[in-house]
Amino acid sequence: MSAFKTVRGMRDFLPEEAKIMKYIESKARKIAELYGYQEIIMPVVESYELLAAKAGEEVRLRMYAFKDLGGRMVALRPEFTPSVARLVATTLKNEPKPLRLFCLGSLYRYDEPQRGRYREFWQSNFELMGSSEPEADAEIIMLTNSLMEAAGLENLVFKVGHVGVLRGVLSQEGLEDKTENEVLQFLDKKQYDDAFRLVEDAGASQKCVKALQKLVGLKGSKVFEIINKMKESVKDYEKAVGAVENLQKILMFVSESGCEINMTVEAGFARGLEYYTGMIFEVYVPELDVALAGGGRYDKLIELFGGESTPAVGVAHGIDRIMLAMQRQKTRLKAKEEKKVVVIPIDDDLKSEALKIARMLRDADIPVEVEVMGRKVSKALEDADRRKLNYAIIVGEKELKEGAVVLRNLTKREQNTVKIEKIIETVKGKSRP
Ligand code: HAM
């Protein structure tokens, strides 16, 4: 058989990278705890219909979709939001609101593989269900900032927009939902002329086209100035004005909370997913041209899945991309360095004693490896040095008779005979050998 390779777009994570991924996941779990989000575990396979309903063309066409052996049309999840919305529309429908739900896991999209774009990737996903208040939107932005900061990232930029402004203009002009979605898809891809042409062809007024043209030109980091200009541009469209005011409140809450988030508002910003109805945002760092996170408000999805009308807002953080950004910014992991130990029996008769000592140390929460290659002490020590372990416990007949072992500090290159009952405190640094 020829040597196997990973399938295109799939990756192996070797220990160094797996460590960073797990580090980011642990930070996400911590943020979930700090903000009161409960973790749920969702299936990788869902009904195609559920996932496709509001995915937007880009995600829909890239789903790993197939018929299972029972003839059901299913797909590997390309995102978490439809699954969480399904849960809230069904099993959790009677739960008191707000519901704060968090999940972590792998997602699948048949994207063209390139730096930061993979066919299997990981997200930490936060959904806040049941509130239409702007402080809920502010919370989602703030927790995203907390996660990025906890990962040690710097120079973050939050790009913020509001789909309600665009939809407010288009719906007052009588455009159908489907056409609205198509216009937003064009705007998402920055194909502005195609968007304006579609609006004209759908019978919208010149005033509407002008308002949209103004909106797509409005962007910048003086967010409240931009917001005022947005309001002026859509003044004849009541719902759109309401949406601008909603965005203003959200951003006021964020800035008044004391969070120093670097934001830019883009009035013509749209995201690929079709379920958004309100504020939307993405997070960037200068070192990467892809978003580290994306989210927004979607007030109609739970109802669409047969649940009660439930407003909702959420975000997904791309763990792979956060890792990439950390590597580019040379972020150091703030992990407590644990002392690592290897136990080496001098000969075969002492193997069970070595296993016993290892077990005793692990019971005291000390990471321990046992020499299992049958090597001589010198070879086993060389290997422990190469792998930067901290201590070696050498189990020999002579010391054992005295209830002791040789404890070698591999960093300081010195060794002492230590009573077995004293090893734990010595390794933990509470007693000197
Ligand atoms: P999304 O923008 O499609 O939103 O994905 C969120 C994040 O997942 C992206 O910003 C990116 O970091 C990461 N991501 C997406 N596709 C890939 C890929 N092919 N390779 C690597 N990373 C990727 C959603 O998924 C929405 N469900 C977010 C949301 C939650 N909205 C409301 N609630």
Side-chain angles (χ1 to χ4, degrees):
M1 253 189 220
S2 61
F4 288 112
K5 289 193 286 190
T6 51
V7 171
R8 185 165 153 76
M10 300 289 154
R11 293 157 299 154
D12 297 319
F13 290 89
L14 299 184
E16 265 313 301
E17 282 190 323
K19 189 167 149 189
I20 308 176
M21 296 285 279
K22 294 292 148 194
Y23 178 80
I24 303 166
E25 287 184 8
S26 74
K27 296 291 176 196
R29 282 207 169 84
K30 186 72 198 165
I31 298 300
E33 194 187 314
L34 289 175
Y35 282 78
Y37 285 70
Q38 286 183 296
E39 184 161 357
I40 49 173
I41 299 172
M42 311 293 296
V44 172
V45 176
E46 286 273 11
S47 115
Y48 173 78
E49 204 188 340
L50 173 99
L51 297 171
K54 282 283 174 188
E57 196 178 311
E58 232 181 85
V59 173
R60 194 161 39 232
L61 294 176
R62 291 184 163 78
M63 269 199 258
Y64 279 84
F66 55 98
K67 266 203 181 128
D68 71 7
L69 294 181
R72 298 171 201 89
M73 196 58 197
V74 296
L76 304 186
R77 59 187 182 197
E79 52 160 337
F80 282 116
T81 310
S83 305
V84 186
R86 165 184 61 69
L87 199 60
V88 174
T90 56
T91 320
L92 300 180
K93 68 170 186 281
N94 295 325
E95 284 294 303
K97 308 291 182 303
L99 262 176
R100 289 185 167 93
L101 299 171
F102 159 71
C103 38
L104 258 178
S106 59
L107 294 305
Y108 301 85
R109 295 184 194 176
Y110 204 78
D111 275 327
E112 198 44 40
Q114 51 190 288
R115 258 245 170 283
R117 197 174 293 282
Y118 312 105
R119 291 185 176 169
E120 181 182 45
F121 58 96
W122 275 259
Q123 285 183 346
S124 81
N125 186 88
F126 291 72
E127 309 289 358
L128 171 43
M129 312 287 208
S131 168
S132 56
E133 299 296 324
E135 55 270 33
D137 304 66
E139 175 172 308
I140 290 293
I141 294 179
M142 285 164 63
L143 70 80
T144 297
N145 187 56
S146 299
L147 175 60
M148 300 296 162
E149 281 184 347
L153 291 175
E154 291 172 351
N155 304 322
L156 300 157
V157 177
F158 281 59
K159 175 167 127 184
V160 191
H162 199 299
V163 182
V165 179
L166 300 165
R167 287 194 189 276
V169 172
L170 297 173
S171 65
Q172 196 169 317
E173 290 280 334
L175 262 67
E176 286 179 5
D177 245 22
K178 189 170 159 281
T179 321
E180 263 184 37
N181 289 338
E182 282 167 15
V183 174
L184 294 188
Q185 301 279 350
F186 279 135
L187 293 179
D188 177 41
K189 292 186 201 134
K190 302 211 178 334
Q191 293 171 252
Y192 299 129
D193 289 339
D194 292 324
F196 303 147
R197 197 167 316 121
L198 182 57
V199 171
E200 275 177 342
D201 291 351
S205 66
Q206 275 308 307
K207 184 178 77 180
C208 166
V209 177
K210 285 228 171 69
L212 291 178
Q213 283 169 339
K214 269 197 198 152
L215 285 178
V216 300
L218 284 178
K219 53 178 109 169
S221 55
K222 292 192 171 145
V223 297
F224 296 106
E225 262 177 40
I226 301 284
I227 284 177
N228 284 336
K229 288 187 185 156
M230 283 169 76
K231 213 188 271 183
E232 174 60 28
S233 314
V234 298
K235 62 177 186 307
D236 297 330
Y237 297 91
E238 202 186 319
K239 275 196 192 150
V241 171
V244 178
E245 285 168 354
N246 174 250
L247 181 62
Q248 187 172 22
K249 278 194 199 135
I250 296 167
L251 299 190
M252 286 262 290
F253 285 139
V254 173
S255 58
E256 284 174 5
S257 74
C259 253
E260 285 177 15
I261 301 182
N262 191 358
M263 289 188 279
T264 62
V265 166
E266 276 198 36
F269 173 36
R271 281 176 35 77
L273 299 155
E274 268 171 22
Y275 45 67
Y276 292 117
T277 54
M279 180 279 296
I280 51 169
F281 74 106
E282 284 176 353
V283 182
Y284 291 86
V285 283
E287 291 82 0
L288 289 178
D289 57 0
V290 285
L292 304 189
R297 172 165 290 282
Y298 55 100
D299 286 346
K300 302 273 163 57
L301 196 60
I302 296 157
E303 200 177 333
L304 182 77
F305 292 162
E308 277 176 26
S309 164
T310 310
V313 56
V315 61
H317 311 113
I319 296 181
D320 314 65
R321 291 188 186 171
I322 295 177
M323 170 165 80
L324 212 53
M326 287 168 70
Q327 288 168 331
R328 292 277 168 92
Q329 294 193 352
K330 303 199 177 358
T331 312
R332 292 176 77 95
L333 306 197
K334 282 193 206 117
K336 199 174 83 206
E337 273 303 314
E338 290 194 271
K339 296 277 180 353
K340 295 196 198 86
V341 180
V342 59
V343 183
I344 310 166
I346 284 185
D347 59 45
D348 282 2
D349 295 346
L350 299 167
K351 283 183 174 173
S352 41
E353 196 59 39
L355 291 172
K356 197 164 135 193
I357 293 171
R359 193 185 56 79
M360 179 187 88
L361 292 171
R362 288 187 199 115
D363 283 350
D365 260 356
I366 299 171
V368 185
E369 297 172 20
V370 175
E371 163 60 26
V372 291
M373 301 296 285
R375 289 177 288 207
K376 289 215 157 46
V377 175
S378 57
K379 282 278 168 217
L381 284 176
E382 257 174 46
D383 184 48
D385 259 340
R386 182 181 62 81
R387 289 185 309 111
K388 300 194 168 46
L389 302 188
N390 307 91
Y391 287 98
I393 292 172
I394 302 156
V395 186
E397 187 79 53
K398 194 173 98 215
E399 292 80 12
L400 213 51
K401 279 197 186 125
E402 316 280 308
V405 288
V406 171
L407 180 67
R408 183 174 173 82
N409 183 324
L410 297 169
T411 327
K412 293 189 181 159
R413 300 187 167 278
E414 52 186 47
Q415 63 184 50
N416 290 290
T417 303
V418 177
K419 290 275 186 211
I420 290 175
E421 68 265 21
K422 291 271 182 203
I423 304 175
I424 293 172
E425 40 185 302
T426 312
V427 169
K428 286 192 168 172
K430 290 182 187 144
S431 135
R432 298 181 69 77

